[in-house]
Amino acid sequence: MINIQPPKADVTITQRKQDTTGDEPVIKPLYGFIDLHEIPRDKGGIIQFFNHSGELLFVGKARKLRQRVKKHFEDNVSPLKNHREEVHRITVSIVDDPMEREIYETYLINTQKAKYNVDKVFYKD
């Protein structure tokens, strides 16, 4: 059997309400996420979307992480398009090698049983 260790999260952002009472500038939230700037712009890797109770909703990979996360919230073809309100936490793991991204994505989809992934699913409930 192959032993695969999923990459650790390099960035985790959580949906939150912005404090508008202080002197900080107001950042326009995207589905309650105001920390998207913490996700690297020009790095590739794995993206995981979780709900409030920690259930894995969707796993994806990207060559440019921040752009891809935003697309999942704006795109009409994203598997998350009807479930965006469920997303509470996003974790991003930087993985430079495209082949490794593919392996990690497939592994996480099937071992963690990502709820809304429809491609690359090999498990049966």
Side-chain angles (χ1 to χ4, degrees):
M1 176 179 257
I2 298 172
N3 184 14
I4 298 173
Q5 293 290 354
K8 290 187 169 79
D10 292 300
V11 177
T12 300
I13 60 173
T14 306
Q15 188 180 49
R16 62 188 174 107
K17 301 244 187 286
Q18 188 170 1
D19 178 19
T20 57
T21 60
D23 293 333
E24 294 184 28
V26 176
I27 300 171
K28 184 179 175 195
L30 184 63
Y31 283 87
F33 292 95
I34 60 172
D35 297 328
L36 291 174
H37 65 279
E38 292 182 16
I39 298 172
R41 180 179 293 161
D42 295 325
K43 296 278 186 183
I46 299 294
I47 309 157
Q48 297 177 72
F49 297 86
F50 297 88
N51 66 12
H52 229 45
S53 55
E55 179 184 21
L56 182 60
L57 300 174
F58 186 78
V59 178
K61 65 182 183 313
R63 287 181 296 139
K64 296 187 178 196
L65 289 164
R66 190 185 312 169
Q67 278 181 319
R68 191 68 190 113
V69 169
K70 285 182 177 181
K71 272 191 173 264
H72 277 296
F73 287 108
E74 297 167 344
D75 221 5
N76 287 331
V77 295
S78 169
L80 285 175
K81 72 178 177 184
N82 296 323
H83 311 286
R84 292 175 177 140
E85 299 295 331
E86 285 182 62
V87 178
H88 175 70
R89 180 170 48 96
I90 302 168
T91 65
V92 170
S93 304
I94 296 170
V95 179
D96 293 323
D97 186 277
M99 184 178 67
E100 288 180 15
R101 287 196 295 261
E102 188 73 41
I103 291 168
Y104 287 137
E105 179 190 36
T106 303
Y107 179 78
L108 289 167
I109 288 168
N110 288 283
T111 58
Q112 304 300 310
K113 298 186 178 183
K115 190 173 182 179
Y116 298 123
N117 281 91
V118 290
D119 294 330
K120 303 177 185 175
V121 175
F122 299 110
Y123 67 88
K124 295 182 182 177
D125 279 335

